[in-house]
Amino acid sequence: MRKNNKGITIYDIAEKLKVSPTTVSRALNDHHSISKETTLSVKKLAKKMGYRPNSVASNLRKNKTNTIGVIVPLINRPFIAALISGIEDTASQSDYNVIISQTYDSYKKEVATAHTLYSSRVDGLIVSLAMETRQYDHFHAFLENKIPLISVDRIAPELETDCVAIDNHSAGFKATEHLIEMGCRRIAHLGGAQHRNTYRGRQQGYLDALKKHNLPIDERLVVHSKLSMEEGRESTKYLLGLPNPPDGIFSANDSAAVSAIQYAKLKGWHIPQDLAVIGFNNDPISSIIEPQLTTISHPAHDMGKIAAQQILRHQEYGHIVQSQNTVLKTEVIVRDSTQRKITTSSIHRNSA
Amino acid sequence: MRKNNKGITIYDIAEKLKVSPTTVSRALNDHHSISKETTLSVKKLAKKMGYRPNSVASNLRKNKTNTIGVIVPLINRPFIAALISGIEDTASQSDYNVIISQTYDSYKKEVATAHTLYSSRVDGLIVSLAMETRQYDHFHAFLENKIPLISVDRIAPELETDCVAIDNHSAGFKATEHLIEMGCRRIAHLGGAQHRNTYRGRQQGYLDALKKHNLPIDERLVVHSKLSMEEGRESTKYLLGLPNPPDGIFSANDSAAVSAIQYAKLKGWHIPQDLAVIGFNNDPISSIIEPQLTTISHPAHDMGKIAAQQILRHQEYGHIVQSQNTVLKTEVIVRDSTQRKITTSSIHRNSA
DNA sequence: TAAAATTACGCAATCGGTTGCGTTGCAATA
DNA sequence: TATTGCAACGCAACCGATTGCGTAATTTTA
């Protein structure tokens, strides 16, 4: 007895079986107060009729959507794709859906997206902030209504949420120290916008490593950009054109590092003899470039899994769950772009 | 007068303003039958109270979710990420959400996912089939209920939906012919599973190109695998170890092509003089490898946009919309891995 | 000035499940 | 035999917004 062109509802099943919709609902959910025979016959008929529960209705009544919202700058980056993959992985194991939105690093889009996802009544939100974002009011609704909100990778202290991130300072420090161990004495840094924790941390680590090893800090060797391939090329052109060019480059991402290598090679520089280069993220391109790029591992997939788990835990245990900040480990993945001499250091060797 | 710990509803606004929830709802939606003053005061109070519409409730009543479901094998691939990016792009412009699920190429996961997305009452579904999938019953609910269903890239004739894809045969043909033009006479093919249209089409194009140019077909030169880096390496090892090894390789993806180059170089082969290699997809790694990889452009982003547009069109014009299959153009992107001689052919030159 | 039209709004049903509370029938217990 | 307990199910409210229809007040038209 289907209505117009709609799907089958529990009412249709109830009618045929001469029971109430309540019973059907309970039978489908294995409620204990329904007899085995009834449960069986309901399920059987449901299957036969091709019944598919309407989770919109269920969500409304239960005030729960089994959905995790995700806001990221741009999907189409190896690091972000891995992050999402991790989230989706964990979520789907617990029958959660994942809604994804991109901000394209625009504050305005981030605001609109946050509102939309709140309206969708997601059960939790995972955010990696847009580059532009400096205000955080658009997340207030989540905080006020105790909807778990987790910042990943790009985080902000102003936004009082649980965080999952890496220790960018330590990573930047290790990267720079690795170059120093490889014999570099004049190290440049390709950095990103300093109001985002990630790039700021990496640069600070770079500076502190220089200080620790009593190397002079030359501001001309620090170049900020969006770290695209194009900008990496331009920055490198500038650096190598200096009267006193660097003998090592620490780039805050792999794209810029790779284009640095490409440009330097084009101009006749030998990598790593004349110029050692270390990147960040361990993107696929890092192991394709020649020489293969030494870089910093970035546990994006794990980050996604942990963030999702944290939300699921909130769902399960309510607000008993303590606020929790996770800092993930990174490693220097040593490849040929920095191997200027045999090293006895204990740094993990990897040539994937 | 908020309930327990819930959010603000139109009832809360109605109460304060001494009007009916109906009026509030209409005011918020700029219904013509509500006076300007009332509309204004409603909106003002709504903003002040931090009201956020509950789209779950709205969705239920309107029987529309403004959501597009997406099923893909794996997010974490350049091609897929670009596809999703295109979908999300178009969707968000029309205030549609996107729910993404991965199948990991498993049939079982695809079935579960399709059911879940149907239960979520997505307004349309975009699917790129899992490698394993050979049955399509799990999509019946969509077809029966006239929910727009679009297959992209990996499509199947058994599944009667609109499609957005490339002409794999033509692309495979062009790729192979390019190698022939470059002087190759003994061309190998790294192919994928032949029950998926993409790989079958590419291989058929390869075979037909050989036929057209009266080159013998040697089955030993056709190697099937999942085209991972590892398998690409192994396949190449096998090919180069043949008594009569190939002088050109057409790989059905870039990963395998890149690892073929890497292995061949390692063994002292000169690319492209001894061995020309052409890939497929134009992944980022293809322009990083040395020599840069000639490949086939794959309009994944456009594919996503077109698929999403097709769904939006269905939403707008109902079922008047004609079924429509889109076949997108591909191009040979000529780079150094196949440039064995100066060519006067009209093939588009690109060295991004 | 009476009738018709328009403006501005409310009532109550509706979307499809879920759930607290109540009811019925029958077996177990006192 | 009267009471209690439990198994199995139904009633009706509910989640929050939307919408067809009705109505009162005001304005326009005849």
Side-chain angles (χ1 to χ4, degrees):
Chain A
M1 215 49 59
R2 251 190 262 178
K3 337 270 175 60
N4 304 349
N5 52 355
K6 302 303 179 52
I8 291 124
T9 72
I10 55 170
Y11 295 91
D12 300 322
I13 298 176
E15 200 171 330
K16 290 217 177 189
L17 246 42
K18 312 263 185 220
V19 296
S20 74
T22 302
T23 300
V24 175
S25 171
R26 289 190 175 129
L28 292 171
N29 291 302
D30 287 312
H31 194 280
H32 65 274
S33 81
I34 305 296
S35 73
K36 284 166 201 160
E37 307 90 61
T38 308
T39 298
L40 210 68
S41 65
V42 166
K43 285 188 177 178
K44 203 170 159 187
L45 182 60
K47 187 162 192 176
K48 187 182 159 200
M49 295 177 71
Y51 168 77
R52 295 284 158 205
N54 183 328
S55 31
V56 179
S58 170
N59 291 345
L60 175 60
R61 176 61 224 247
K62 296 204 286 190
N63 197 32
K64 184 158 184 329
T65 55
N66 269 46
T67 300
I68 296 176
V70 178
I71 300 181
V72 291
L74 192 61
I75 295 174
N76 199 356
R77 283 182 200 159
F79 162 71
I80 300 286
L83 177 79
I84 294 174
S85 202
I87 295 171
E88 212 275 333
D89 222 10
T90 300
S92 72
Q93 280 182 22
S94 299
D95 282 315
Y96 271 71
N97 291 326
V98 176
I99 298 188
I100 299 177
S101 294
Q102 312 185 65
T103 60
Y104 295 94
D105 275 323
S106 141
Y107 168 70
K108 210 173 159 187
K109 262 218 100 187
E110 185 175 287
V111 173
T113 287
H115 287 163
T116 301
L117 290 181
Y118 181 80
S119 277
S120 299
R121 296 299 189 266
V122 292
D123 290 333
L125 184 65
I126 298 175
V127 186
S128 184
L129 293 167
M131 195 59 86
E132 286 181 11
T133 303
R134 292 163 189 266
Q135 278 180 248
Y136 307 91
D137 295 343
H138 46 302
F139 295 118
H140 270 13
F142 291 90
L143 299 176
E144 275 179 17
N145 293 291
K146 312 274 186 202
I147 298 167
L149 171 57
I150 317 242
S151 326
V152 293
D153 194 49
R154 293 197 193 159
I155 62 183
E158 299 94 321
L159 186 57
E160 291 174 2
T161 66
D162 292 5
C163 300
V164 182
I166 57 170
D167 184 340
N168 286 285
H169 182 278
S170 153
F173 189 92
K174 284 191 288 188
T176 308
E177 199 163 47
H178 170 70
L179 288 178
I180 295 170
E181 284 173 7
M182 292 295 124
C184 298
R185 287 298 170 264
R186 200 166 153 69
I187 300 171
H189 176 53
L190 303 184
Q194 292 297 299
H195 70 278
R196 264 300 68 96
N197 65 304
T198 48
Y199 298 128
R200 190 177 57 243
R202 290 167 202 182
Q203 176 165 331
Q204 204 57 51
Y206 155 80
L207 295 174
D208 289 346
L210 294 185
K211 276 182 205 160
K212 177 186 169 193
H213 291 271
N214 295 313
L215 290 174
I217 288 171
D218 187 339
E219 289 183 356
R220 287 167 301 183
L221 294 185
V222 175
V223 189
H224 290 163
S225 74
K226 290 186 178 173
L227 299 172
S228 67
M229 287 242 160
E230 182 55 38
E231 286 166 312
R233 223 185 70 92
E234 289 306 314
S235 302
T236 308
K237 184 175 176 182
Y238 154 77
L239 287 171
L240 301 190
L242 286 174
N244 190 4
D247 58 0
I249 295 181
F250 163 41
S251 168
N253 80 9
D254 282 345
S255 303
V258 161
S259 56
I261 291 181
Q262 287 178 326
Y263 179 82
K265 280 171 69 180
L266 191 71
K267 292 299 172 184
W269 291 61
H270 294 276
I271 314 286
Q273 290 76 22
D274 303 339
L275 183 74
V277 180
I278 182 167
F280 209 110
N281 277 355
N282 194 20
D283 283 352
I285 53 169
S286 68
S287 53
I288 304 298
I289 186 76
E290 273 183 41
Q292 291 193 12
L293 179 66
T294 295
T295 188
I296 305 291
S297 69
H298 199 313
H301 191 85
D302 288 341
M303 233 178 213
K305 290 181 75 165
I306 291 170
Q309 279 164 9
Q310 218 150 313
I311 286 182
L312 296 179
R313 213 175 308 136
H314 265 278
Q315 294 297 307
E316 205 165 344
Y317 301 111
H319 313 305
I320 314 163
V321 181
Q322 290 208 354
S323 170
Q324 181 178 346
N325 291 337
T326 308
V327 177
L328 296 176
K329 289 247 162 67
T330 59
E331 278 180 2
V332 178
I333 298 175
V334 180
R335 300 205 186 97
D336 293 336
S337 72
T338 57
Q339 291 275 65
R340 309 221 294 186
K341 56 180 186 184
I342 284 88
T343 171
T344 55
S345 94
S346 61
I347 294 172
H348 174 65
R349 183 90 197 277
N350 183 326
S351 45
Chain B
M1 215 48 57
R2 252 190 262 178
K3 337 269 174 64
N4 305 347
N5 51 356
K6 304 300 179 53
I8 291 123
T9 73
I10 54 171
Y11 294 91
D12 301 323
I13 298 176
E15 199 171 330
K16 290 217 178 189
L17 246 41
K18 314 260 185 223
V19 296
S20 75
T22 303
T23 300
V24 175
S25 171
R26 289 191 175 128
L28 291 172
N29 291 303
D30 288 311
H31 193 281
H32 66 273
S33 82
I34 304 296
S35 72
K36 284 164 200 160
E37 307 90 62
T38 308
T39 299
L40 210 68
S41 66
V42 166
K43 286 189 176 177
K44 204 171 159 187
L45 183 60
K47 187 160 193 178
K48 188 182 159 200
M49 294 177 72
Y51 168 77
R52 294 284 158 206
N54 183 328
S55 30
V56 179
S58 171
N59 291 346
L60 174 59
R61 176 61 225 252
K62 296 203 289 191
N63 198 30
K64 181 156 187 330
T65 54
N66 268 45
T67 300
I68 296 176
V70 178
I71 300 180
V72 291
L74 193 62
I75 295 174
N76 199 357
R77 284 181 199 158
F79 162 72
I80 300 286
L83 176 80
I84 293 174
S85 203
I87 294 172
E88 212 276 332
D89 223 10
T90 300
S92 73
Q93 279 181 24
S94 298
D95 281 315
Y96 271 71
N97 292 325
V98 176
I99 298 189
I100 299 177
S101 294
Q102 312 185 65
T103 60
Y104 294 94
D105 274 323
S106 140
Y107 168 69
K108 210 173 158 187
K109 262 219 98 185
E110 186 175 288
V111 173
T113 287
H115 288 162
T116 300
L117 290 181
Y118 181 79
S119 276
S120 299
R121 296 299 190 266
V122 293
D123 291 332
L125 185 65
I126 297 174
V127 187
S128 183
L129 293 166
M131 195 60 86
E132 285 181 12
T133 303
R134 293 162 189 266
Q135 278 180 249
Y136 307 92
D137 295 342
H138 47 301
F139 295 119
H140 271 14
F142 291 90
L143 299 175
E144 275 180 17
N145 293 292
K146 313 276 187 201
I147 297 167
L149 171 56
I150 318 243
S151 326
V152 293
D153 195 50
R154 293 198 193 158
I155 62 183
E158 298 95 322
L159 186 56
E160 290 175 2
T161 66
D162 293 5
C163 300
V164 181
I166 56 171
D167 184 342
N168 285 285
H169 182 278
S170 153
F173 190 93
K174 283 192 288 188
T176 309
E177 199 162 47
H178 170 71
L179 288 177
I180 296 170
E181 283 173 7
M182 291 297 125
C184 299
R185 288 297 170 265
R186 199 166 153 67
I187 299 171
H189 176 53
L190 304 185
Q194 293 296 301
H195 71 278
R196 268 292 76 95
N197 64 305
T198 48
Y199 298 128
R200 189 176 58 243
R202 291 168 202 182
Q203 176 165 331
Q204 204 56 50
Y206 155 80
L207 295 173
D208 288 347
L210 294 184
K211 277 183 204 158
K212 177 185 168 193
H213 292 271
N214 294 315
L215 291 175
I217 289 171
D218 185 340
E219 288 184 357
R220 288 166 301 182
L221 294 185
V222 175
V223 188
H224 289 162
S225 74
K226 289 186 178 174
L227 299 171
S228 68
M229 287 244 160
E230 182 54 37
E231 286 166 313
R233 222 184 72 91
E234 288 307 313
S235 303
T236 308
K237 186 176 176 181
Y238 153 77
L239 286 171
L240 301 190
L242 285 175
N244 190 3
D247 57 2
I249 295 181
F250 162 42
S251 167
N253 80 10
D254 281 345
S255 302
V258 162
S259 55
I261 291 180
Q262 287 178 325
Y263 179 81
K265 280 171 68 179
L266 191 72
K267 292 298 172 185
W269 290 60
H270 294 276
I271 313 288
Q273 290 76 21
D274 303 339
L275 183 73
V277 180
I278 184 168
F280 209 110
N281 278 352
N282 194 19
D283 283 352
I285 54 169
S286 68
S287 53
I288 303 298
I289 185 75
E290 273 183 42
Q292 291 194 12
L293 180 66
T294 295
T295 187
I296 303 291
S297 69
H298 199 314
H301 191 87
D302 288 342
M303 235 179 211
K305 290 181 73 165
I306 291 170
Q309 279 163 10
Q310 218 150 314
I311 285 183
L312 295 180
R313 212 175 309 136
H314 266 276
Q315 294 297 306
E316 205 166 342
Y317 301 112
H319 314 305
I320 314 163
V321 181
Q322 290 209 353
S323 171
Q324 180 178 345
N325 291 338
T326 308
V327 177
L328 295 176
K329 290 246 162 66
T330 59
E331 277 181 2
V332 178
I333 298 176
V334 179
R335 299 205 187 98
D336 294 336
S337 72
T338 57
Q339 290 275 66
R340 307 220 296 185
K341 56 178 187 186
I342 283 90
T343 171
T344 54
S345 93
S346 62
I347 295 173
H348 174 65
R349 182 90 196 279
N350 184 327
S351 48

